[in-house]
Amino acid sequence: MQKNKNVHTFIGFDSEYEESDIIMFGAPFDGTTSFRPGARFAPTIMRNESYGLETYSPYHDEDLIDKKICDVGDLELPLGNTQKVLDVIEDFSRIIINDGKIPLMIGGEHLVTYPAVKAIYEKYKDIYVLHFDAHTDLRETLFDEKLSHATVMKRIWELVGDKKIYQYGIRSGERYEFEWAKEHTILTKFTYDRLDEAIQTIGDKPVYITIDIDVLDPSVMPGTGTPEPGGIFFKDIIDILLKIKKLNIVGADLVELSPHYDPSGVSTAVACKILRELAISIK
Amino acid sequence: MQKNKNVHTFIGFDSEYEESDIIMFGAPFDGTTSFRPGARFAPTIMRNESYGLETYSPYHDEDLIDKKICDVGDLELPLGNTQKVLDVIEDFSRIIINDGKIPLMIGGEHLVTYPAVKAIYEKYKDIYVLHFDAHTDLRETLFDEKLSHATVMKRIWELVGDKKIYQYGIRSGERYEFEWAKEHTILTKFTYDRLDEAIQTIGDKPVYITIDIDVLDPSVMPGTGTPEPGGIFFKDIIDILLKIKKLNIVGADLVELSPHYDPSGVSTAVACKILRELAISIK
Amino acid sequence: MQKNKNVHTFIGFDSEYEESDIIMFGAPFDGTTSFRPGARFAPTIMRNESYGLETYSPYHDEDLIDKKICDVGDLELPLGNTQKVLDVIEDFSRIIINDGKIPLMIGGEHLVTYPAVKAIYEKYKDIYVLHFDAHTDLRETLFDEKLSHATVMKRIWELVGDKKIYQYGIRSGERYEFEWAKEHTILTKFTYDRLDEAIQTIGDKPVYITIDIDVLDPSVMPGTGTPEPGGIFFKDIIDILLKIKKLNIVGADLVELSPHYDPSGVSTAVACKILRELAISIK
Amino acid sequence: MQKNKNVHTFIGFDSEYEESDIIMFGAPFDGTTSFRPGARFAPTIMRNESYGLETYSPYHDEDLIDKKICDVGDLELPLGNTQKVLDVIEDFSRIIINDGKIPLMIGGEHLVTYPAVKAIYEKYKDIYVLHFDAHTDLRETLFDEKLSHATVMKRIWELVGDKKIYQYGIRSGERYEFEWAKEHTILTKFTYDRLDEAIQTIGDKPVYITIDIDVLDPSVMPGTGTPEPGGIFFKDIIDILLKIKKLNIVGADLVELSPHYDPSGVSTAVACKILRELAISIK
Amino acid sequence: MQKNKNVHTFIGFDSEYEESDIIMFGAPFDGTTSFRPGARFAPTIMRNESYGLETYSPYHDEDLIDKKICDVGDLELPLGNTQKVLDVIEDFSRIIINDGKIPLMIGGEHLVTYPAVKAIYEKYKDIYVLHFDAHTDLRETLFDEKLSHATVMKRIWELVGDKKIYQYGIRSGERYEFEWAKEHTILTKFTYDRLDEAIQTIGDKPVYITIDIDVLDPSVMPGTGTPEPGGIFFKDIIDILLKIKKLNIVGADLVELSPHYDPSGVSTAVACKILRELAISIK
Amino acid sequence: MQKNKNVHTFIGFDSEYEESDIIMFGAPFDGTTSFRPGARFAPTIMRNESYGLETYSPYHDEDLIDKKICDVGDLELPLGNTQKVLDVIEDFSRIIINDGKIPLMIGGEHLVTYPAVKAIYEKYKDIYVLHFDAHTDLRETLFDEKLSHATVMKRIWELVGDKKIYQYGIRSGERYEFEWAKEHTILTKFTYDRLDEAIQTIGDKPVYITIDIDVLDPSVMPGTGTPEPGGIFFKDIIDILLKIKKLNIVGADLVELSPHYDPSGVSTAVACKILRELAISIK
């Protein structure tokens, strides 16, 4: 017990900022969530519950104690003003990137991915995006709004262009979104079967990983805003992470955990382990 | 915002009665439930939560907006008097059938299937029944009562006769029920492996589909009266519905969702999606 | 059972719009909530749970069946864009007022009161506001935003001016808010002891009633965004409503019920009964 | 640890039947519950949770270890057949009475009180009934059924006659029930203020005590089928029990605890303590 | 957003150790809890939820920003070894006291009070203890163990001696504990009516305050190990704290919050506000 | 209804001790649990919920009514003193073994397995242990304590020696535990693929089965202290039990169900069915 103010980080993410390769931060925003809000609570509760984890991963046979990761806490976001929230996230992502580090963001809802990718795109114009989700997120607007959890991949496409976004596990959306995707993204319904193709295409180009936690089946991930049955399972996530480990990951996020909707706590436990495995997957 | 009283239907089930092919109604009865009651709450909560769904099904590549379905709300049932409850359901089912439409009933407990089949049987004496369930439901009586959720398929057998009921996913019952089924129904333990046989046998004969939601594994469907591990999964349900789509479905139901037993809300989300897919499966 | 689409209103609020004196509508917005969101779910869940109520009030010895009230359902609000949400509420409130009826709004968070009062203020420049709440809601901004649940009474003060707002039950806020209130509103800490003074002052002037449900003690109202112990009790609410019945109420609302935070359902049951009693209190 | 099958009784109710003065049994029936079922679970869960209690009451300064009470477990009831359920309860109550003992029944819903009083009335034609409840329970029928939780006191009145039933804490019902009560029962709205009058009138005549747990305020008793705010508090119950201790109690019950609706467990803890205090109040 | 590891303290307790007058720490131990464990989670969850509070107290008209308090986090405790747990707490309490500061401990179960008082007693042999609790906690042993949440005040009495412990709100215990207390402590059943006497007797002598959160009524504090109805209310706690403010408090604790037993979160909200008010009460 | 004190056993485990082959008892201890306690509640709640089960197993095509099993209830354990708790369990296990019967223990946390194996080892020096778990449980100490849920298999190894413990489903632990296991136990990561080898090696030697319920995937078993995604499913457990049925099982346990962490009740339902199947698997 030291004579200091309480420091509270995600387990094993306890390096100092300057020495770290990866900077984890929380983006506790859920202002455009249309069904069940509460993704704002994810980063804080994940820190608490991470103490149920070991730092060692038997999947990778690697240990977080051998990584340099700093958990800098949550951004303070002006709730009620979507554009300003996105600006704060973009600015902080830019700082991390300019410091030569990799941002690892915990949402919040999926819209937070947009400003993070925007900051990264400034540096990496040839960025690819790997998108794991139950939903297409390709609407042009939702309730006439362009900035929404349901439009986020469309906004990102406006930045990165055609055939740069790979979408896996998708099982919900409007018909027109699925139609549109045929021309503009590489979308695999229900599964991630064709992930190897993506990995081969991308090679050593920079890549951003965005995992909407609802890509998982609600049996193992009830705690999310819009649960969609028919998803992938935890073992699939491990399989995916072991595959993408060889990529040149320059940023990543995990979004849409809504912990209050899972009183059993299992959703948070699963999200914490995915975060551990994801962090170990980043070189 | 119109100047009218609030209309609240299951998403996409918003045609007028007269123009509709399918009539959805709730039968909120759980009076013989022997373990955990609460199936009475299913139809109301499913209406609310259906707004987390899209109307488009990527499984069928069809959209509810292209169907004519009317949600007429819940029947008013005299709780405490089982026989009268059944009479109300039978009478209303008969009205729908006589209007040349297809009843799509949301339970309530499984006993509500009996009066619905009874009304249909008047018109279709050669009716087949496809029964998806964790339980045999073939007891002669429960607590000396003939009308019970645990006897409902026995009562239906008394109407339709031997080898007209196909039972899938069954994994719980008394030993004598399994014995009896060998002679009188076509029962597959644990799985739905032999569904194709049924489809071939039935051909274009009229068929009634009854889905007791506990046929699903409790990992994805905790919110039911008597959860039984070892069930089928959501993807199996989709597989089943894609298969039975070619049948001549003249009535269907979804029963035994008990939403208060799933504080995460996932059970209701799953049931809503099954209902969407089931409705699209009815020609 | 009629051959119509399901109509679902709050119990007893089932008159047609044209014949009604009071128009109830839901304003399911919680976009600026800074602690626990979910007030968006209040109106829908209150409709469901209202069926646990009788229409007869033994407190007033009056019955809802003798009132003309229409529940028109919930406004469709563009989540993520606070200003547009407020415009929708203001526009609809104006329609009701211009039709010579009294708006009775169910939140949603407290910010929804602002557009409703704005619409009413156009017609009644001498409007008084009776404000029951745990919180001052008098901040100038929250996170630099002027439109917030924590600033709503300040915004309303900008419309109606000094000493027109009576605040009761207040027990939380910044120090400077309490200081500011001394000059500009009539604020009673913790209790509603001085309500009689307000009633005498107001006389037959038009008055708007806004009840933030967190004015109640969390023992009886856990289901709210920011529960504050030390509140008033249900019997106090009845006492208040019996007193204000003699006022000339031209609009009213009930806000900040967040039903998902009360798995026992008691908060919703309490809110429903307050709504019944409030509706009966409006002449 | 003895070499016997597990015996599990309510704490301190562990005398043998033959030696006991009071016989506690469970009547786990909730078949006519019109809102939230689950009172069937009360007796079992109360046994479990009773181990959080001491046997000593500081209110009475008495200890359960000085009483002779036997907990014989729950009746086996034929769910789905209301009349037969009532017969089982009546028969068992009669056995206890004929054995010269006092029945102490744990519901279940309130209808179970009817057969218990019926059995007692055979022996005590001059029986008085003290009724603590939020609801009048004086309807003639509910959904055209005469046997219902909402009609139970009307049925009992048909046995015992005018002015033999005292009703306290009543705050919900149809207008006509309150009107009817003026002639036929002694009903006090909201409070138990006039209990002393009843005690004086009854003197040493035999009396039956029925406590519908929803007489309590839902702040302290959320776990009940139809919570009604504005109720009495635990301290009031203690006050009541200390007063009625001088009466000649020949039977008693505690009904309508629905423990699944209170995930905090407080409702059950409160019910257990009331049961301890009630048992000590019976001479 | 600074480039530092995440610091997470109770709201307003964010001074550095050296400059602080009061040192808050968590003692997350619940190893002897005999009914419902989980008090170990209290300090972490209280830190999270404290962000629903303002730093300003309208009760004291004082603000935490004017106090110097450091939250140093939770002690690391060897679960499963009661004696070693107590040693860690005692050692850390001694450090704080020797640094001339006041320990403010958050339990954990009530046994953690013993080592804290032990450390304080070394310095202040004339210490008084004010004890707010539902339970006597005066057993000699529980399950033959001397160190238990149910024996803690007996152990403390062995240190401080007769008539140095004032007990308030007590409403549960074995008969012999109440008897014993008559000679050795000053115990008030049910209420804190005689607190003024204690304050007068103690004068400016050093005093330790221990608040077992179950002294509160379970209506407002369901989240505790052994809820006991008939407790005091939040307003009583405020009244108590305003009174004891004039005492010479040299240590204090708040124990037995078990947050997982209150899914509504109200218990934690109440505990957080009591902690704010308690901290402000310490000079 | 008999005139006896309430007997309450797990369904079908209702033979008398003397006539029984298998003796089930509860060991409600969770004192070293480092994450989420509550395994103490498992045996009681399993008894209650077992009434949702039939006694007939369609997996084994056998019925509990053909077995002789006695449920003797829960041991009374001195909470807070780990060593004495273990002594009580060891003593009672020895009695059962000396009576020529098979102990079937329900935890509690995993440490309770140690004293049970210790008692069995006295009689069967050549005992094998089949261990199903998410965790290695092979630490030398936890928080410097040798007796812990995280060290239990290490302690058992000290008894039984190298290559006598088979571990399946393991997916969490410190790196050094996995290393150590390579020499001393037979550990299969993630799966039970190599179970057939064990069965062949063991032949008719005596074997103890210990099932830590967290070997199951948290989708179907959220109610456990430390849920670990990526586990096996219920159908795998059935597969395992059908295989081990041919072994000479001389003792068995099921541990780490923590029912309060699964408000849906599914975890308990799954555990009950596993217990039924496990009991039927013991010859």
Side-chain angles (χ1 to χ4, degrees), chain D residues 11-249:
Chain D
I11 195 167
F13 291 10
D14 46 10
S15 297
E16 299 295 335
Y17 182 92
E18 293 305 335
E19 63 178 336
S20 293
D21 303 308
I22 299 171
I23 306 300
M24 176 194 130
F25 66 97
F29 175 70
D30 54 14
T32 80
T33 301
S34 49
F35 198 47
R36 311 194 304 186
R40 67 178 68 185
F41 301 113
T44 298
I45 296 185
M46 284 177 69
R47 280 184 197 98
N48 287 349
E49 300 304 307
S50 71
Y51 288 83
L53 283 183
E54 278 86 3
T55 55
Y56 171 70
S57 162
Y59 300 102
H60 287 91
D61 191 20
E62 291 188 41
D63 201 306
L64 283 177
I65 59 175
D66 301 323
K67 308 281 289 189
K68 291 290 183 190
I69 309 175
C70 179
D71 170 1
V72 295
D74 287 1
L75 297 177
E76 192 163 290
L77 301 173
L79 297 170
N81 188 321
T82 301
Q83 185 57 60
K84 286 208 303 196
V85 164
L86 302 192
D87 292 347
V88 172
I89 296 169
E90 186 180 335
D91 291 348
F92 190 66
S93 300
R94 189 178 293 113
I95 290 170
I96 296 168
I97 296 159
N98 289 345
D99 284 342
K101 300 174 190 302
I102 296 171
L104 175 54
M105 177 172 60
I106 308 302
E109 59 153 89
H110 212 158
L111 182 56
V112 300
T113 301
Y114 177 49
V117 172
K118 218 165 151 190
I120 286 174
Y121 178 72
E122 288 177 15
K123 184 164 177 184
Y124 303 102
K125 298 292 186 196
D126 55 346
I127 188 87
Y128 280 84
V129 177
L130 290 192
H131 172 221
F132 301 90
D133 202 330
H135 304 89
T136 48
D137 288 358
L138 290 171
R139 300 195 191 193
E140 180 53 33
T141 62
L142 186 73
F143 308 121
D144 285 329
E145 294 299 311
K146 295 197 76 165
L147 296 174
S148 162
H149 67 103
T151 66
V152 60
M153 298 315 295
K154 189 71 177 289
R155 293 294 88 76
I156 288 172
W157 168 85
E158 292 169 354
L159 290 175
V160 302
D162 276 351
K163 302 295 176 191
K164 299 298 281 294
I165 302 172
Y166 288 84
Q167 304 185 281
Y168 298 103
I170 310 301
R171 54 197 186 274
S172 199
E174 298 283 347
R175 180 181 275 175
Y176 82 83
E177 294 177 84
F178 285 94
E179 291 299 321
W180 185 91
K182 286 179 187 164
E183 300 300 313
H184 302 287
T185 74
I186 296 112
L187 184 154
T188 310
K189 280 202 291 191
F190 315 136
T191 71
Y192 64 99
D193 286 354
R194 302 175 61 190
L195 177 59
D196 290 333
E197 288 177 34
I199 289 171
Q200 205 162 355
T201 303
I202 295 171
D204 58 0
K205 297 271 179 47
V207 64
Y208 186 89
I209 311 293
T210 179
I211 302 177
D212 183 324
I213 210 93
D214 68 19
V215 72
L216 283 160
D217 195 74
S219 57
V220 77
M221 183 51 67
T224 190
T226 311
E228 302 278 357
I232 68 173
F233 292 92
F234 180 77
K235 287 173 180 173
D236 298 318
I237 289 282
I238 293 299
D239 191 29
I240 289 166
L241 293 175
L242 290 172
K243 283 174 194 284
I244 67 174
K245 199 177 177 177
K246 59 184 68 144
L247 292 172
N248 174 24
I249 300 170

Side-chain angles (χ1 to χ4, degrees), chain C residues 49 51-52 54 56 58-59 61-63 66 219-220 234-235 263-266 269-270 273, chain D residues 35-36 139 171-175 178 189-190 217-219 222 226 228-231 261 263:
Chain C
E49 300 304 307
Y51 289 82
E54 278 86 3
Y56 171 69
Y59 300 102
D61 190 20
E62 292 189 41
D63 201 307
D66 301 323
S219 57
V220 76
F234 179 77
K235 287 173 180 174
S264 80
V266 161
V270 173
K273 195 171 267 190
Chain D
F35 198 47
R36 311 194 304 186
R139 300 195 191 193
R171 54 197 186 274
S172 199
E174 298 283 347
R175 180 181 275 175
F178 285 94
K189 280 202 291 191
F190 315 136
D217 195 74
S219 57
T226 311
E228 302 278 357
Y261 284 102

Side-chain angles (χ1 to χ4, degrees), chain A residues 167 169-171 178 187-192, chain B residues 56 58-59 61:
Chain A
Q167 303 186 282
I170 310 300
R171 55 197 185 275
F178 284 95
L187 184 154
T188 309
K189 280 201 291 190
F190 313 138
T191 72
Y192 64 100
Chain B
Y56 171 69
Y59 300 102
D61 190 20

Side-chain angles (χ1 to χ4, degrees), chain C residues 5-54:
Chain C
K5 279 191 285 188
N6 187 42
V7 168
H8 190 55
T9 65
F10 191 87
I11 196 167
F13 290 11
D14 47 11
S15 297
E16 298 295 337
Y17 182 92
E18 293 304 334
E19 64 179 333
S20 294
D21 302 309
I22 298 171
I23 307 300
M24 177 194 130
F25 66 98
F29 175 69
D30 54 15
T32 79
T33 301
S34 49
F35 199 47
R36 311 194 304 187
R40 67 178 67 184
F41 301 113
T44 298
I45 295 185
M46 285 176 69
R47 280 184 197 97
N48 287 350
E49 300 304 307
S50 70
Y51 289 82
L53 283 183
E54 278 86 3

